[in-house]
């Protein structure tokens, strides 16, 4: 028994394909990326070692700094929109019996579409001349409210709304699963104690689903840190870099401008930030969860 | 899912308000998609003249779909996406089930460390590996090739798949393997003849989840594929927009076509897909 399942050769054969493929595609390139960030290189000329020059250049580049700011804005707006709306929708849905399936599907459907489909669709929804929003405003006589939605002023908000449309159903599903998993005894005891309405939500439901809330917050933050698809499809980071995110900056620097060293420095920065944020939230939230 | 509503009593008025809000919000959510569909059968001029109005039944432009599918190449992108998504699913199932079996059922000291090593990949933003991947693939002549696209697609599917499978293998009773061992089966045969057939339900979940992941992915093919002949649907759609950007209603038809497979998969395999998503998320 021990002998058969401890067979070293068999273990190696089973684990090797995954281990090799994973190591070659994820951990090694991360190290390679850091190594590359110490060089200037455009793939045509020879690589020159420049130490931490690329990082200096990065943090004196106004576009990069504003891309960090845009990424933070998108993260904050996404957290506000998706957590509150997702929780609100979940609370509504668990309180009804008829039509549950329909509502769940309706809110979840956008999440299964590709970002190319969503990005192109919402590009047209926001369009000034023939977009859905402006044509609705026009048809109900509110012409004065028509806007250039993907303009410098509104673009971050517009992108965050589209992202909310795409993801809110997903978080709602997580919350519904968590709320449905709260033990009946706890709910009944709370009802006996007179917990109702808002009190029930804040005192019983939210503390009970805290672990799932943490997961969904981590997912929204890490998702926003690598925000790329919508910004690239709808505006290519524009107009005039108004929606440039860290991820679109990396893509533009490496694949449009062929500055691989600078791009690698930006990716290394993104990697470190993602790890830090994930670790910090999990530490912080885990402590809070112990208290409850 | 338990029915929460059973033990929370709401007044009929409160219920009606909730219901009205949900109905309103569901229309708000679905309307952009409905708008897309009904505009995809208008002529370009009709759309520009009245983007909000319904199409006239006498002037339905089903030709938009024919043009997008045949003349403008959506067909080719769809086939490419099908190939990449299904082949990557097959490979990710084989590779991850082998690894998960070794981690969960075989006896060796570092198994948990190896599992954690794989799981750490779940949080890695894909942007970080794109530049080295692009450069190395260029050297290895893997740019603009199906194999080059498959390698990272499969690799990124591994962490979640291995996570779900190790959880699944925990639930299989040891006796099954012991009995087979006494009958003289080797570990390989046990895995192939006994474990794999039992894994089918978990395979469906992972397959749906990874298929949609590969089908919807934009960034990897955007970086690795440049020739239109090999483009997958998301990259192809962006390319299509660049080439036929002025023919908006045909563009809409192309977008509708590329949304249809995801929607079909969702409605056919909904429970499996949601299970995979919840399981994948709860790891965190």
């Amino acid at each position: 028994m021990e002998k058969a399942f401890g067979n070293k050769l068999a273990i190696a054969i089973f684990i090797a394909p995954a281990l090799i493929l994973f190591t070659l595609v994820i951990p090694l390139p991360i190290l390679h990326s850091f190594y590359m960030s110490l060089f200037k290189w455009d793939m045509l000329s020879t690589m020159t070692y420049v130490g931490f020059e690329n990082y200096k250049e990065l943090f004196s580049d106004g576009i990069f700094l504003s891309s960090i700011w845009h990424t933070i804005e998108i993260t904050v707006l996404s957290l506000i929109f998706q957590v509150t709306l997702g929780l609100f929708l979940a609370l509504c849905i668990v309180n009804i019996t008829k039509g549950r399936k329909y509502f769940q599907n309706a809110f979840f459907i956008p999440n299964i579409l590709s970002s190319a489909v969503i990005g192109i669709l919402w590009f047209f929804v926001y369009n000034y001349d023939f977009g859905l929003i402006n044509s609705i405003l026009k048809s109900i006589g509110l012409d004065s409210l028509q806007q250039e939605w993907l303009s410098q002023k509104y673009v971050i908000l517009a992108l965050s709304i589209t992202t909310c449309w795409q993801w809110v159903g997903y978080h709602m599903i997580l919350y519904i699963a968590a709320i449905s998993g709260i033990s009946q005894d706890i709910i009944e005891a709370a009802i006996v104690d007179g917990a109702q309405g808002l009190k029930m939500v804040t005192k019983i439901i939210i503390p009970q689903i805290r672990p799932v809330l943490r997961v969904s917050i981590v997912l929204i933050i890490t998702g926003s840190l690598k925000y790329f698809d919508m910004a690239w499809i709808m505006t290519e980071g524009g107009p005039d870099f108004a929606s440039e995110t860290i991820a679109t900056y990396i893509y533009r620097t490496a694949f449009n401008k062929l500055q691989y060293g600078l791009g690698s420095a930006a990716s290394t920065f993104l990697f470190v930030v993602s790890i830090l944020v994930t670790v910090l939230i999990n530490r912080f939230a885990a402590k809070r969860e112990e208290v409850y | 899912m338990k029915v929460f509503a059973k033990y929370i009593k709401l007044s009929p008025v409160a219920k009606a308000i909730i219901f009205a809000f949900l109905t309103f919000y569901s229309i708000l959510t679905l309307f952009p998609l409905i708008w897309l569909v009904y505009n995809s059968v208008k002529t370009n001029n009709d759309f520009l003249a009245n983007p909000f109005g319904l199409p006239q039944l006498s002037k339905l432009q089903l030709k938009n779909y024919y043009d997008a599918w045949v003349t403008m190449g959506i067909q080719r992108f769809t086939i490419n996406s099908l190939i990449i998504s299904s082949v990557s699913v097959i490979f990710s199932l084989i590779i991850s089930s082998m690894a998960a079996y070794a981690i969960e059922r075989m006896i060796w000291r570092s198994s948990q460390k190896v599992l954690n090593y794989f799981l750490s990949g779940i949080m890695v933003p894909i942007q970080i590996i794109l530049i080295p991947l692009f450069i190395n693939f260029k050297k290895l002549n893997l740019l603009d090739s199906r194999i080059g696209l498959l390698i990272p697609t499969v690799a990124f599917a591994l962490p979640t798949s291995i996570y779900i499978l190790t959880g699944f293998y925990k639930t299989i009773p040891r006796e099954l393997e012991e009995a087979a061992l006494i009958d003289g089966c080797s570990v390989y045969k046990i895995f192939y003849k006994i474990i794999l057939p039992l894994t089918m339900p978990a395979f469906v979940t992972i397959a749906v989840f990874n298929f949609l992941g590969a089908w919807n992915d934009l960034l990897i093919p955007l970086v690795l594929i440049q020739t239109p002949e090999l483009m997958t649907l998301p990259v192809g759609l962006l390319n299509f927009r660049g080439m036929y950007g002025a023919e908006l209603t045909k563009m809409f038809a192309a977008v509708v076509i590329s949304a249809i497979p995801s929607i079909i998969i969702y409605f056919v395999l909904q429970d499996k897909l949601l299970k995979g998503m919840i399981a994948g998320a709860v790891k965190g």
Side-chain angles (χ1 to χ4, degrees):
Chain A
M1 175 73 197
E2 281 279 327
K3 208 178 146 210
F5 293 109
N7 181 341
K8 291 254 157 44
L9 178 68
I11 294 171
I13 290 174
F14 278 130
I15 201 92
L19 203 58
I20 294 170
L21 182 64
F22 179 78
T23 308
L24 284 180
V25 177
I26 301 175
L28 280 184
I30 292 175
L31 295 175
H32 190 177
S33 192
F34 172 68
Y35 173 78
M36 295 257 324
S37 74
L38 306 174
F39 291 84
K40 281 246 179 287
W41 195 41
D42 60 3
M43 227 186 243
L44 303 168
S45 54
T46 46
M47 285 172 85
T48 32
Y49 177 78
V50 292
F52 285 89
E53 257 332 286
N54 283 324
Y55 291 89
K56 264 190 210 155
E57 191 180 333
L58 202 56
F59 287 100
S60 51
D61 183 352
I63 293 174
F64 181 70
L65 295 176
S66 72
S67 81
I68 297 180
W69 176 240
H70 299 145
T71 307
I72 295 173
E73 285 181 315
I74 289 171
T75 310
V76 172
L77 288 176
S78 298
L79 276 175
I80 296 173
F81 292 166
Q82 292 174 41
V83 176
T84 46
L85 188 58
L87 194 56
F88 188 70
L89 291 175
L91 286 168
C92 286
I93 286 183
V94 295
N95 275 304
I96 59 165
T97 34
K98 267 189 206 130
R100 268 176 169 231
K101 200 98 203 161
Y102 161 73
F103 290 124
Q104 278 191 37
N105 285 338
F107 302 141
F108 188 73
I109 277 279
N111 193 248
I112 55 152
L113 302 174
S114 71
S115 45
V117 165
I118 296 173
I120 294 175
L121 168 60
W122 280 78
F123 175 78
F124 288 112
V125 169
Y126 288 134
N127 185 285
Y128 187 86
D129 299 310
F130 44 77
L132 177 59
I133 298 179
N134 282 356
S135 52
I136 289 180
L137 288 173
K138 201 170 165 187
S139 67
I140 54 175
L142 293 170
D143 299 41
S144 57
L145 290 178
Q146 291 188 340
Q147 299 289 346
E148 189 70 79
W149 298 105
L150 294 173
S151 64
Q152 276 191 313
K153 195 170 167 195
Y154 294 110
V155 68
I156 296 285
L157 182 67
L159 291 179
S160 305
I161 288 173
T162 304
T163 302
C164 176
W165 184 79
Q166 181 180 10
W167 283 100
V168 74
Y170 174 82
H171 296 282
M172 174 198 76
I173 295 277
L174 292 185
Y175 302 154
I176 291 176
I179 295 173
S180 310
I182 299 175
S183 94
Q184 198 156 336
D185 299 346
I186 294 177
I187 303 282
E188 276 167 4
I191 294 173
V192 173
D193 289 347
Q196 263 185 338
L198 199 61
K199 215 172 175 187
M200 177 70 116
V201 173
T202 55
K203 299 277 177 195
I204 309 293
I205 295 177
I206 290 180
Q208 285 291 324
I209 65 167
R210 200 172 266 273
V212 168
L213 278 173
R214 169 172 56 93
V215 169
S216 107
I217 288 172
V218 170
L219 287 173
I220 292 171
I221 294 180
T222 49
S224 311
L225 283 177
K226 56 183 180 188
Y227 199 89
F228 176 82
D229 294 9
M230 288 308 141
W232 194 252
I233 298 167
M234 284 161 71
T235 61
E236 297 205 354
D240 197 21
F241 301 109
S243 60
E244 185 87 319
T245 62
I246 300 176
T248 60
Y249 181 90
I250 295 173
Y251 185 86
R252 186 192 313 283
T253 312
F255 301 110
N256 285 4
K257 297 203 221 151
L258 308 183
Q259 296 175 317
Y260 295 107
L262 192 63
S264 300
S267 353
T268 306
F269 171 78
L270 177 61
F271 176 65
V272 173
V273 171
S274 315
I275 298 291
L276 275 181
V277 166
T278 312
V279 170
L280 280 179
I281 302 172
N282 281 332
R283 279 263 165 88
F284 179 71
K287 262 191 196 146
R288 292 285 296 268
E289 271 155 31
E290 273 167 28
V291 175
Y292 280 92
Chain B
M1 230 171 250
K2 273 187 293 177
V3 182
F4 192 79
K6 255 200 311 214
Y7 41 92
I8 297 262
K9 293 269 179 293
L10 281 178
S11 68
V13 180
K15 269 200 173 158
I17 293 173
I18 288 178
F19 207 82
F21 167 75
L22 286 174
T23 307
F24 168 76
Y25 192 71
S26 70
I27 294 170
L28 204 65
T29 302
L30 295 178
F31 196 74
L33 292 170
I34 297 167
W35 180 73
L36 175 80
V37 173
Y38 75 65
N39 275 311
S40 69
V41 288
K42 283 184 188 171
T43 63
N44 215 30
N45 288 337
D46 283 352
F47 169 68
L48 291 175
N50 185 4
F52 189 48
L54 288 170
Q56 290 162 279
L57 286 176
S58 57
K59 283 166 64 182
L60 278 194
Q61 286 290 308
L62 293 172
K63 196 173 165 295
N64 285 345
Y65 280 85
Y66 179 83
D67 286 348
W69 180 250
V70 181
T71 328
M72 294 164 164
I74 291 297
Q75 183 181 24
R76 193 174 55 215
F77 303 144
T78 307
I79 293 171
N80 290 340
S81 269
L82 268 177
I83 294 174
I84 295 297
S85 307
S86 21
V87 176
S88 73
V89 162
I90 293 168
F91 274 102
S92 65
L93 289 182
I94 296 173
I95 297 176
S96 61
S97 60
M98 284 165 63
Y101 184 73
I103 290 169
E104 190 52 46
R105 306 301 285 197
M106 309 273 295
I107 302 160
W108 46 301
R109 221 188 301 151
S110 325
S111 61
Q112 282 310 305
K113 275 186 201 144
V114 171
L115 177 61
N116 287 332
Y117 175 67
F118 282 123
L119 295 189
S120 67
I122 291 182
M123 279 298 158
V124 173
I126 208 155
Q127 282 88 354
I128 286 145
I129 59 131
L130 281 178
I131 299 173
L133 209 63
F134 177 80
I135 290 169
N136 292 328
F137 275 18
K138 185 156 194 161
K139 278 185 205 149
L140 296 167
N141 247 337
L142 285 171
L143 283 186
D144 264 332
S145 74
R146 290 222 162 93
I147 296 186
L149 186 51
L150 281 169
I151 291 171
T153 308
V154 174
F156 267 89
L158 290 179
T160 320
S161 313
I162 291 178
Y163 173 70
I164 295 176
L165 282 172
T166 48
F168 184 80
Y169 286 153
K170 253 185 212 137
T171 62
I172 297 178
R174 204 44 150 175
E175 287 75 24
L176 282 173
E177 288 162 288
E178 281 168 8
L181 204 59
I182 291 164
D183 288 347
C185 283
S186 65
V187 227
Y188 309 105
K189 209 167 174 190
I190 292 176
F191 175 69
Y192 180 70
K193 288 261 172 179
I194 298 180
I195 300 296
L196 277 192
L198 289 173
T199 316
M200 284 309 155
F203 272 178
V204 179
T205 301
I206 301 170
V208 183
F209 190 65
N210 289 344
F211 187 92
L212 275 183
W215 183 271
N216 289 341
D217 186 36
L218 173 71
L219 200 47
I220 300 179
L222 187 65
V223 170
L224 298 182
I225 302 292
Q226 255 115 43
T227 46
E229 282 68 33
L230 290 174
M231 281 177 179
T232 56
L233 259 177
V235 188
L237 271 182
L238 296 191
N239 192 53
F240 186 100
R241 182 172 69 167
M243 291 174 78
Y244 307 103
E247 302 186 62
L248 299 172
T249 52
K250 283 177 187 161
M251 177 88 233
F252 290 172
V255 173
V256 172
I257 293 172
S258 51
I260 288 172
S262 322
I263 291 178
I264 293 176
I265 291 179
Y266 175 68
F267 278 108
V268 175
L269 294 159
Q270 202 176 58
D271 297 337
K272 293 282 179 186
L273 178 71
L274 291 179
K275 216 192 257 173
M277 286 192 158
I278 292 171
V282 171
K283 152 80 210 27

